[in-house]
Amino acid sequence: MIDLTHIKTSSMATQPYKWVFIDGLFRQDDMKALATSFPRDHFKTVKGYDGEKGYQYEARALIGMGAKGPSHVESLSPAWRQLANDLLSSDYRDAMTRLVGEDLASLQMEVNVFHYGPGAWLGPHVDLKDKIVTHIFYFNELWNEDDGGCLSILRSSEMSDEVSRIMPIVGNSAVLVRSEKSWHAVLPVVKGCCRSR
């Protein structure tokens, strides 16, 4: 389902840290299937402040840390089962290894599904030190940038220090290599937004 050639032929930016925007990861029919069957169950509210960032969103495991198969597989659509299997494949790890320039073959992976409803957000932060790389996928068929919810690539911990903004449209993705300066955030979804990001 994932078009790995788009990952294999992408090049990392080096400023303000190692990251890359990748689009066109899915065929048109697969984009539709993933967007329309986005998981709706087993979500938990995640909310708080951890000393670095504030946050509020809903999360659900797709693949538990180090698991060999998807979580709650019985409630996943065929498209989402295939996506989970693609993410667990050695071909995906090989493509990501080539992109990142670090051997990811033996590392544990965790995959979570998030949705950000009205008022949800994730403040500026760098990922936890035990993360090597984060690959973010999006699944909205349509999105209005004025509704917030975009990924913000930052030069620093300041929201105003934005380098790039990525729309959460199905087929778009971003790969972020974790470092002490890999600042990013999710802009707040406006309170009157009628859809979830």
Side-chain angles (χ1 to χ4, degrees):
M1 177 171 286
I2 301 172
D3 186 347
L4 296 177
T5 59
H6 286 263
I7 297 174
K8 291 175 182 177
T9 58
S10 293
S11 298
M12 283 278 177
T14 57
Q15 295 300 320
Y17 50 86
K18 287 179 69 175
W19 76 282
V20 63
F21 167 72
I22 306 172
D23 62 356
L25 282 181
F26 308 115
R27 293 188 323 254
Q28 200 68 35
D29 56 338
D30 289 333
M31 287 195 293
K32 180 80 171 172
L34 288 164
T36 58
S37 64
F38 188 85
R40 302 278 180 210
D41 62 340
H42 301 288
F43 279 90
K44 295 179 182 176
T45 300
V46 181
K47 180 178 181 179
Y49 179 76
D50 66 5
E52 178 185 68
K53 66 184 180 296
Y55 48 91
Q56 178 181 324
Y57 51 82
E58 304 287 320
R60 176 219 199 269
L62 181 64
I63 300 168
M65 179 64 80
K68 303 295 184 199
S71 301
H72 310 293
V73 66
E74 69 286 347
S75 63
L76 294 174
S77 71
W80 277 86
R81 289 179 193 176
Q82 183 59 56
L83 177 60
N85 289 331
D86 281 6
L87 293 169
L88 287 165
S89 73
S90 59
D91 289 341
Y92 173 74
R93 282 185 183 255
D94 290 347
M96 290 295 289
T97 289
R98 183 182 302 179
L99 175 65
V100 173
E102 185 165 342
D103 187 2
L104 306 176
S106 63
L107 300 180
Q108 288 192 327
M109 178 172 54
E110 178 182 37
V111 181
N112 292 299
V113 179
F114 302 94
H115 79 81
Y116 287 67
W121 59 290
L122 178 60
H125 67 287
V126 297
D127 287 331
L128 298 171
K129 290 186 178 182
D130 58 353
K131 282 191 182 183
I132 303 297
V133 62
T134 298
H135 193 174
I136 305 163
F137 296 81
Y138 297 101
F139 298 99
N140 287 88
E141 288 187 271
L142 301 169
W143 191 259
N144 182 342
E145 188 173 354
D146 292 339
D147 286 335
C150 296
L151 175 66
S152 184
I153 303 296
L154 304 170
R155 284 188 194 86
S156 71
S157 61
E158 298 298 322
M159 283 298 295
S160 60
D161 205 4
E162 189 178 65
V163 173
S164 189
R165 185 175 290 185
I166 297 168
M167 292 283 287
I169 301 293
V170 64
N172 286 354
S173 78
V175 176
L176 313 178
V177 177
R178 197 268 173 206
S179 76
E180 293 301 321
K181 59 181 184 175
S182 57
W183 292 97
H184 57 285
V186 176
L187 301 172
V189 177
V190 299
K191 295 281 173 113
C193 186
C194 61
R195 64 178 61 130
S196 176
R197 173 259 200 216

